[in-house]
């Protein structure tokens, strides 16, 4: 929420508006006085890293009455406020819409009773602009894929559950954990996927899962599944309960009752943990900072383009794009979920959630419950190879775990391949079992082992003759593995489909194998690459798994570095981040951490740019030093500049940039460097990466099954002699990259994506995030000064409201 307040305030100032903060929610709007304060640029300093809400929030009984809203309108008019940006849930947004509908009547009454005079409200009398931002950890609002605060809450939950899992395994205990969410099971479901819970209770999908077998007796079904997990060697039992969980008769399911059932029927030492309000606090996750920032900017733009006839908009996020739709339509759809549940129409309740809710639920059931009832048993079992290629990234293990378990539930044989293609030609291939991948969802790095060893493209003569050559030879590869050896060992182990989990090298490896199909029939199998790289540089997807984990690591480091810079005063840090030739990490982390500027390979670094940054630093530090000497203003704010490791690396290294800034500052400020290095690759994967990995892995297995069904079978004498694989396909669309495009999952043939790839630079040619580059400067005061702001003030004003 605080990131949204910061964005609204700073963009409002630059757009010629006067931002106000209304403290303590609608109660502050009714109370007025010092609860309504103008915001200046420095008033929102440091907001990005602060949890909760700095301007406060409170439920207001007075605002629910007409007299209360009359007083609120009076306070707004007296402060010249004609627009209200509300950050809250459906109740807060409904209250704002009510105020908008009554506005003209309220102002007329205030004038007629003498509480206001005509002159002070004539320009505010006929229209109140309302814009809604959804701030809710529950992620229960329709018409948006995600709400501000939900991802941070999920992160708090997973941190707690990861710790509880260690305790449970040590003592072989069972834990029943209640999470928030009211009547929405999003937090419970995503937490269950992220930590590998043994069972989950959701309001939208009451148990039992198999009504034909268990009727309404969910206790028997749950205990049977939990006992099966214990039988197969599990040392812990973890059950997650959403606070609004119910059975099929709408009777609440409470943690204490579940505890009693587990203890009496299974004899397990069981504890109940209610996470409570710890889920609402803590430092915001990187994604929430990004989401709140871009939505806050759009909220100001929505205010400025609003007319009297425009329905009050709600700013949302759909298909990875900021949207603005009718506020009350979204509220109405949200209420329909509760109505569907009350009618016991649970299928409709699932449909009304965000687009991926049902798919995520099905993925959880199939990848966490052995012999899942909803698993579609394959007509023909397959031997599916799973290999990691490239640098490690958070979520690789989670994807492998889910893919392996889905394969097992459907009757396939998942084959783990150790140490990439070099391991394959050393015959380091083995079947993955259910228990073997237990706990992989929380492990960083690569349990299978990974490296940059790459299939060697066939020679130029082959390329010219069309016999399998391809001009794909990325830089940085030191070990090339002959295609002939790879083909031999794929055929030796009977691998009929290949799932390649990795970054740009995984993408180019599959391109080489697909191009060599005419020479090596062993490559005539369905192949799919699941992008996993912190750099987010693989064409065909908006997000790669691992990139969110890296972003959180960078943002956390930058928060600490900024504290050091601020404490020392008059200091700027140049922070070097990973990314290769892709500036994604620098741009998104710069936006989430409040960087002054970012240097990325796509733009390079010029002397003119460095001169501009020096002027900016001298101007800001100089004003802050002058104000401090006169006893005015606040302490100097430490500043951070992010640089992608390869941005103009031949000339302007991180150390060189820091020296230039220090020297040109003439002693006004100091400059230091920080190279984050490989800490960006390691650590526990973020919940968002775990969820994305699970979702994509299930889709990959679905795609492999469909591709194998579409592929021809080589039922020839050659096939009988094992010259050709049983599954045989040379179709270009049977060598694909899976990607997240917006909120959808898409499969794109690798030969098409090569046109959108710069192989030598190891990156894609198009980047959706480049448009955010300028916003970093906008929010770091690059284009604004208090003097300019005073000259540009307009009649519009913006108030901020929490509820």
């Amino acid at each position: 929420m605080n990131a949204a307040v910061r964005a609204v305030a700073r963009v409002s100032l630059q757009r010629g508006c006067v931002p106000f903060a209304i403290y303590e929610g609608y109660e502050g709007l009714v109370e007025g006085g010092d609860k309504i304060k103008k915001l200046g640029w420095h008033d929102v300093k440091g907001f990005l890293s602060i949890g909760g809400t700095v301007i406060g929030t409170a439920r207001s009984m007075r605002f629910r009455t007409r007299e209360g809203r009359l007083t609120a309108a009076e306070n707004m008019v007296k402060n010249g406020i004609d627009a209200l940006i509300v950050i809250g849930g459906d109740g807060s947004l409904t209250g704002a819409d009510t105020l908008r509908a009554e506005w003209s009547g309220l102002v007329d009454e205030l004038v007629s009773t003498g509480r206001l005079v005509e002159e002070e409200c004539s320009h505010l009398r006929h229209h109140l602009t309302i814009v809604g931002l959804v701030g809710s950890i529950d992620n229960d609002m329709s018409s948006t894929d995600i709400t501000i605060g939900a991802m941070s809450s999920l992160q708090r939950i997973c941190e707690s559950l990861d710790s509880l899992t260690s305790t449970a395994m040590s003592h072989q205990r069972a834990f029943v954990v209640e999470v928030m969410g009211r009547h929405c099971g999003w937090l419970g479901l995503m937490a269950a996927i992220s930590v590998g819970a043994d069972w989950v209770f959701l309001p939208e999908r009451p148990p039992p899962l198999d009504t034909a077998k268990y009727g309404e007796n969910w206790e028997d079904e749950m205990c049977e599944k939990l006992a099966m997990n214990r039988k197969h060697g599990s040392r812990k039992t973890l059950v997650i309960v959403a606070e609004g969980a119910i059975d099929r008769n709408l009777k609440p399911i409470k943690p204490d009752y579940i505890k009693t059932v587990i203890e009496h029927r299974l004899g397990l030492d069981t504890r109940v943990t209610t996470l409570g309000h710890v889920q609402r606090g803590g430092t915001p996750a990187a994604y929430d900072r990004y989401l709140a920032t871009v939505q806050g900017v759009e909220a100001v733009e929505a205010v400025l383009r609003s007319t009297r006839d425009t329905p009050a908009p709600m700013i949302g996020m759909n298909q990875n794009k900021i949207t603005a739709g009718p506020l009350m339509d979204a509220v109405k759809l949200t209420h329909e979920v509760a109505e569907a549940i009350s009618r016991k129409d649970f299928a409709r309740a699932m449909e009304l959630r965000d687009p991926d809710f049902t798919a995520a639920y099905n993925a959880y059931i199939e990848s966490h419950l052995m012999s899942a009832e909803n698993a579609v048993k394959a007509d023909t079992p397959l031997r599916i190879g799973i290999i990691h290629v490239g640098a490690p990234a958070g979520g690789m293990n989670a994807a492998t775990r889910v893919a392996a378990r889905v394969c097992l539930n459907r009757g396939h044989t998942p084959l783990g391949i150790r140490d990439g293609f070099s391991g394959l030609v050393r015959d380091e291939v083995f079947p993955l079992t259910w228990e073997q991948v237990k706990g992989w969802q929380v492990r960083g790095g690569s349990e299978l082992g990974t490296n940059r060893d790459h299939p060697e493209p066939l020679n130029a003569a082959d390329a010219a003759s069309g016999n399998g050559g391809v001009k794909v030879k990325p830089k940085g590869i030191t070990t090339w593995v002959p295609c002939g050896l790879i083909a031999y060992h794929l055929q030796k182990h009977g691998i009929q489909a290949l799932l390649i989990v990795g970054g740009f090298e995984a993408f180019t490896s599959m391109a080489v194998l697909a191009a060599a199909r005419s020479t090596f029939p062993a490559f005539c199998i369905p192949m799919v690459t699941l992008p996993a790289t912190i750099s987010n540089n693989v064409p065909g997807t908006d997000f790669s798994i691992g990139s969110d984990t890296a972003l959180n690591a960078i943002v956390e480091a930058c928060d600490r570095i900024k504290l050091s810079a601020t404490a020392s005063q008059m200091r700027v840090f140049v922070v070097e981040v990973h990314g290769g030739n892709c500036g994604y990490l620098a741009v998104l982390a710069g936006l989430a951490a409040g960087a002054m500027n970012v240097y990325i390979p796509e733009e390079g670094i010029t002397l003119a740019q460095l001169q501009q940054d020096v002027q900016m630093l001298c101007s800001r530090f100089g004003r802050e030093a002058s104000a401090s000497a006169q006893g005015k203003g606040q302490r100097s704010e430490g500043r951070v500049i992010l640089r992608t490791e390869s941005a103009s690396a031949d000339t302007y290294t991180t150390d060189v940039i820091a020296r230039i800034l220090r020297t040109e500052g003439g002693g006004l400020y100091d400059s230091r460097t920080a190279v984050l290095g490989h800490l960006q690759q390691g650590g526990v994967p973020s919940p968002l990466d775990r969820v994305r990995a699970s979702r994509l892995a299930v889709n990959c297995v679905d795609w492999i099954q469909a591709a194998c069904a579409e592929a021809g079978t080589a039922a020839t004498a050659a096939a009988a002699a094992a010259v050709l694989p049983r599954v045989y396909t040379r179709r270009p669309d049977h060598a694909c990259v899976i990607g997240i495009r917006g909120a959808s999952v898409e499969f794109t043939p690798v030969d098409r994506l090569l046109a959108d790839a710069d192989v030598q630079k190891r990156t894609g040619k198009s980047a959706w995030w480049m448009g955010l580059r300028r916003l970093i400067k906008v929010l770091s005061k690059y284009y604004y000064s208090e003097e300019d702001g005073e000259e540009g003030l307009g009649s519009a004003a913006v108030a901020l409201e929490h509820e």
Side-chain angles (χ1 to χ4, degrees):
M1 277 180 156
N2 293 322
V5 173
R6 172 181 178 269
V8 170
R10 291 190 169 181
V11 173
S12 294
L13 288 167
Q14 298 195 55
R15 296 285 278 154
C17 302
V18 183
F20 288 79
I22 299 174
Y23 288 78
E24 313 309 335
Y26 286 128
E27 187 65 20
L29 196 61
V30 176
E31 189 170 333
D34 62 359
K35 298 297 184 184
I36 302 177
K37 298 178 182 179
K38 285 186 181 181
L39 285 176
W41 191 275
H42 288 285
D43 292 330
V44 294
K45 182 181 73 173
F47 271 31
L48 280 172
S49 60
I50 301 175
T53 164
V54 173
I55 67 176
T57 182
R59 300 188 183 277
S60 176
M61 296 304 297
R62 288 195 288 174
F63 188 79
R64 297 183 182 184
T65 66
R66 179 177 172 79
E67 181 57 36
R69 292 191 293 275
L70 189 69
T71 304
E74 179 182 9
N75 290 328
M76 291 176 68
V77 171
K78 286 182 175 179
N79 283 279
I81 296 173
D82 62 357
L84 193 64
I85 295 177
V86 182
I87 310 172
D90 56 349
S92 302
L93 302 183
T94 301
D97 193 72
T98 300
L99 181 64
R100 180 179 190 261
E102 297 176 347
W103 181 256
S104 295
L106 293 173
V107 176
D108 288 343
E109 183 177 339
L110 290 168
V111 172
S112 65
T113 57
R115 293 169 65 176
L116 291 176
V117 296
E118 181 69 32
E119 290 74 16
E120 67 180 328
C121 64
S122 58
H123 63 296
L124 306 173
R125 190 163 188 167
H126 301 295
H127 174 59
L128 173 66
T129 297
I130 294 291
V131 176
L133 294 178
V134 189
S136 169
I137 68 167
D138 304 331
N139 196 30
D140 58 349
M141 181 64 75
S142 296
S143 304
T144 184
D145 295 338
I146 191 73
T147 59
I148 297 169
M151 203 56 66
S152 297
S153 180
L154 179 60
Q155 196 149 309
R156 296 293 90 75
I157 292 169
C158 290
E159 288 169 358
S160 301
L161 294 180
D162 288 345
S163 299
L164 279 177
T165 298
S166 300
T167 299
M169 292 183 68
S170 299
H171 297 276
Q172 299 194 57
R173 283 183 179 141
F175 274 89
V176 181
V177 182
E178 183 180 77
V179 301
M180 285 183 170
R182 293 194 300 173
H183 302 297
C184 178
W186 186 87
L187 281 176
L189 175 58
M190 299 306 160
I193 292 172
S194 299
V195 303
D198 298 281
W199 198 263
V200 63
F201 291 93
L202 308 174
E204 301 89 344
R205 184 63 172 84
L209 307 178
D210 186 354
T211 53
K213 180 178 180 180
Y214 296 98
E216 296 181 357
N217 191 344
W218 60 264
E219 294 92 340
D220 283 354
E221 182 184 45
M222 177 190 72
C223 289
E224 184 177 312
K225 297 299 181 183
L226 299 183
M228 183 183 298
N229 288 344
R230 288 283 180 157
K231 181 180 178 181
H232 284 82
S234 178
R235 290 179 57 86
K236 60 86 181 173
T237 297
L238 179 61
V239 176
I240 295 177
V241 189
E243 62 183 348
I246 52 176
D247 64 16
R248 290 187 170 270
N249 293 315
L250 308 184
K251 180 182 177 182
I253 298 176
K254 297 299 182 181
D256 286 331
Y257 177 67
I258 300 170
K259 172 182 181 291
T260 301
V261 171
I262 294 173
E263 286 182 332
H264 288 179
R265 300 198 185 190
L266 300 179
L268 297 176
D269 181 10
T270 307
R271 307 295 172 89
V272 171
T273 299
T274 302
L275 296 183
H277 286 78
V278 70
Q279 299 162 78
R280 294 189 179 276
T283 302
Y287 185 85
D288 267 333
R289 301 189 198 190
Y290 154 72
L291 178 68
T293 297
V294 294
Q295 287 191 343
V297 172
E298 177 60 24
V300 176
E301 299 302 322
V303 165
L304 296 177
R305 65 172 176 260
S306 175
T307 67
R308 185 173 183 176
D309 299 325
T310 305
M314 185 197 81
I315 309 302
M317 174 70 81
N318 290 291
Q319 300 288 326
N320 198 31
K321 292 181 175 61
I322 299 298
T323 58
L327 185 153
M328 292 313 296
D329 287 356
V331 172
K332 181 181 178 181
L333 279 173
T334 301
H335 291 165
E336 282 187 25
V337 178
E339 294 169 4
I341 292 175
S342 67
R343 299 192 307 267
K344 300 183 181 181
D345 188 354
F346 303 115
R348 176 60 178 162
M350 293 285 282
E351 291 173 6
L352 289 168
R353 290 300 181 205
D354 72 84
D356 301 316
F357 193 85
T358 300
Y361 177 78
N362 291 336
Y364 165 75
I365 295 299
E366 197 171 1
S367 61
H368 289 71
L369 304 183
M370 296 183 66
S371 303
E373 284 76 6
N374 68 331
V376 180
K377 299 296 181 182
D379 294 332
T380 305
L382 300 167
R383 291 173 63 82
I384 300 174
I386 304 174
I387 187 171
H388 294 178
V389 176
M396 274 183 157
N397 295 321
T400 303
R401 169 184 174 273
V402 170
R405 288 190 167 185
V406 170
C407 286
L408 291 168
N409 261 334
R410 297 183 183 181
H412 304 307
T413 301
L415 298 171
I417 301 172
R418 292 195 188 279
D419 297 329
F421 288 104
S422 294
L424 173 63
V425 301
R426 294 195 301 266
D427 288 327
E428 295 188 34
V429 181
F430 59 97
L432 290 168
T433 65
W434 188 276
E435 283 302 310
Q436 192 171 7
V437 296
K438 179 178 62 179
W440 281 22
Q441 73 277 1
V442 299
R443 297 183 189 176
S446 167
E447 289 295 311
L448 288 180
T450 185
N451 53 53
R452 298 182 187 274
D453 296 355
H454 196 285
E456 185 173 17
L458 300 187
N459 59 42
D462 288 323
S465 64
N467 292 326
V470 62
K471 296 179 180 179
V472 174
K473 207 160 187 177
K475 287 185 177 180
I477 305 300
T478 57
T479 301
W480 299 94
V481 184
C483 282
L485 279 177
I486 295 173
Y488 171 77
H489 287 276
L490 285 175
Q491 187 169 319
K492 177 181 178 180
H493 293 283
I495 294 175
Q496 299 165 294
L498 191 62
L499 169 59
I500 307 174
V501 182
F504 199 84
E505 292 83 3
F507 163 71
T508 53
S509 292
M510 187 174 67
V512 169
L513 299 183
R517 280 172 165 172
S518 56
T519 302
F520 299 106
F523 298 155
C524 297
I525 57 175
M527 295 182 284
V528 59
T529 293
L530 195 162
T533 168
I534 68 170
S535 303
N536 198 33
N537 61 342
V538 178
T541 185
D542 293 343
F543 301 100
S544 299
I545 61 174
S547 59
D548 184 70
T549 301
L551 273 178
N552 279 286
I554 295 169
V555 170
E556 181 181 355
C558 286
D559 285 348
R560 298 181 180 185
I561 290 169
K562 287 183 76 174
L563 286 175
S564 172
T566 300
S568 303
Q569 298 196 54
M570 315 299 283
R571 179 172 289 175
V572 59
F573 273 85
V574 182
V575 181
E576 181 180 306
V577 301
H578 276 344
N581 286 298
C582 178
Y584 170 84
L585 287 178
V587 171
L588 269 292
L591 195 64
M596 187 193 91
N597 199 2
V598 296
Y599 302 141
I600 58 176
E602 288 83 354
E603 296 177 335
I605 305 172
T606 65
L607 190 58
Q609 184 179 12
L610 290 172
Q611 289 174 329
Q612 187 180 30
D613 287 343
V614 168
Q615 292 172 2
M616 163 72 169
L617 289 168
C618 289
S619 172
R620 298 306 175 198
F621 279 126
R623 288 187 181 183
E624 290 168 4
S626 177
S628 178
Q630 299 174 26
K632 304 175 183 178
Q634 302 177 14
R635 295 180 63 194
S636 175
E637 179 183 10
R639 290 174 170 85
V640 168
I641 295 174
L642 267 61
R643 172 186 174 269
T644 303
E645 57 191 344
S646 61
S648 301
D650 292 338
T651 305
Y652 297 113
T653 64
T654 300
D655 189 57
V656 167
I657 293 170
R659 292 185 181 191
I660 291 173
L661 296 179
R662 185 186 308 118
T663 302
E664 294 298 318
L668 178 61
Y669 59 85
D670 188 19
S671 177
R672 300 291 178 89
T673 63
V675 179
L676 301 186
H678 285 77
L679 69 84
Q680 300 161 78
Q681 290 182 350
V684 176
S686 72
L688 182 54
D689 272 333
R690 301 185 215 178
V691 170
R692 284 174 176 166
S694 299
R695 174 190 182 193
L696 294 178
V698 173
N699 278 275
C700 283
V701 178
D702 289 340
W703 180 87
I704 286 172
Q705 285 188 177
C708 287
E710 295 168 355
T713 54
T716 63
V723 175
L724 294 175
R726 183 163 52 84
V727 175
Y728 185 84
T729 178
R730 291 180 61 180
R731 287 173 49 171
D733 61 342
H734 284 170
C736 286
V737 174
I738 187 174
I740 300 173
R741 293 290 182 90
S744 304
V745 173
E746 297 181 3
F747 290 87
T748 310
V750 67
D751 60 344
R752 279 173 43 195
L753 289 177
L754 282 172
D756 190 39
D758 187 328
V759 175
Q760 291 307 304
K761 291 185 177 179
R762 300 175 60 254
T763 187
K765 294 179 180 178
S766 57
W768 64 267
W769 44 266
M770 279 295 291
L772 301 172
R773 171 72 178 79
R774 186 175 184 276
L775 185 56
I776 294 171
K777 286 188 172 183
V778 169
L779 295 173
S780 66
K781 211 176 182 181
Y782 225 93
Y783 306 115
Y784 174 80
S785 69
E786 284 78 1
E787 291 81 0
D788 295 338
E790 290 298 327
E791 293 173 1
L793 291 178
S795 60
V798 181
L800 307 178
E801 170 69 24
H802 288 302
E803 179 72 327

